[in-house]
């Protein structure tokens, strides 16, 4: 019942991850998520940090399939908390889309298209926007090319080029 237990488990997970003790790190993160979920619920904001770290652990260790639901939940929680056009939300959605493409999910294109709409509606003058836009163009363009839709990849680049001229 210790309210500090999830934070301590997450911190222990980070320490194990830095020491390359992947299974111990994963166990700590998963246990922290169990504690948080029991107290706050499965969609709670308090799960965000631990979910992101667990997803990164999976990704860094060549397991994007397990990372995918973590990144999806991170994106959904951030969008619910901050709005879809918030920079942190868009970064989370981009990570979700990249990971989804890496595992060959069929809904990858719709994740990217949702992010495109968010990018179009966001404040392009905010710090960090250009980096997200650049990474979006690079990763979505690569995804489209891999899928054999080179015309769409060209249209994507043109979309942002025309926008910066206007």
């Amino acid at each position: 019942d210790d309210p500090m237990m999830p934070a301590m488990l997450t911190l222990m997970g980070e320490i194990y991850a830095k020491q390359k003790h992947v299974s111990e790190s994963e166990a700590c993160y998963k246990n922290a998520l169990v504690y948080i979920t029991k107290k706050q619920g499965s969609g709670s904001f308090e799960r965000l940090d631990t979910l992101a770290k667990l997803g990164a652990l999976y990704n860094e260790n060549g397991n994007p399939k397990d990372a995918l639901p973590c990144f999806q939940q991170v994106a959904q929680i951030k969008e619910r908390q901050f709005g879809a056009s918030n920079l942190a939300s868009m970064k989370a959605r981009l990570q979700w889309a990249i990971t989804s493409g890496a595992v060959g999910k069929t809904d990858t294109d719709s994740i990217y298209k949702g992010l495109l709409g968010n990018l179009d509606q966001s404040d392009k003058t905010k710090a960090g926007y250009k980096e997200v836009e650049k990474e979006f163009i690079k990763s979505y363009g690569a995804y489209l090319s891999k899928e054999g839709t080179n015309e769409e990849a060209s249209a994507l680049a043109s979309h942002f080029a025309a926008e910066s001229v206007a």
Side-chain angles (χ1 to χ4, degrees):
D1 273 345
D2 186 348
M4 292 305 296
M5 188 56 76
M8 290 187 314
L9 285 166
T10 299
L11 185 57
M12 285 175 54
E14 287 179 67
I15 293 167
Y16 281 130
K18 286 179 182 168
Q19 296 174 340
K20 305 294 183 208
H21 297 288
V22 177
S23 60
E24 290 88 348
S25 178
E26 177 185 15
C28 286
Y29 291 146
K30 284 183 170 183
N31 284 326
L33 289 169
V34 168
Y35 272 93
I36 297 166
T37 302
K38 282 183 179 179
K39 291 282 185 193
Q40 308 289 334
S42 62
S44 72
F45 186 77
E46 288 77 8
R47 292 171 43 96
L48 197 59
D49 184 51
T50 307
L51 275 170
K53 288 176 179 167
L54 180 58
L57 179 75
Y58 286 140
N59 232 12
E60 290 163 10
N61 289 285
N63 196 351
K65 187 177 180 187
D66 286 337
L68 185 61
C70 295
F71 292 142
Q72 179 179 3
Q73 289 177 57
V74 167
Q76 290 169 337
I77 291 169
K78 284 188 176 185
E79 287 175 2
R80 203 171 40 249
Q81 187 75 22
F82 305 123
S85 296
N86 173 277
L87 192 60
S89 300
M90 291 188 297
K91 285 180 181 179
R93 183 174 273 265
L94 181 58
Q95 181 64 61
W96 174 23
I98 291 168
T99 307
S100 180
V103 298
K105 296 294 277 182
T106 56
D107 64 345
T108 300
D109 194 54
S110 65
I111 299 167
Y112 273 117
K113 285 183 176 164
L115 181 54
L116 175 61
N118 298 339
L119 282 165
D120 285 343
Q121 294 172 1
S122 68
D123 181 356
K124 293 156 187 56
T125 63
K126 286 212 179 215
Y129 173 85
K130 282 292 179 197
E131 292 79 22
V132 173
E133 180 184 280
K134 201 179 300 182
E135 181 61 28
F136 171 79
I137 293 168
K138 178 181 148 196
S139 65
Y140 191 30
Y143 171 78
L144 290 170
S145 295
K146 186 178 94 177
E147 294 295 305
T149 53
N150 294 326
E151 315 80 46
E152 278 189 62
S154 296
L156 176 69
S158 298
H159 172 84
F160 285 99
E163 200 173 81
S164 64
V165 171

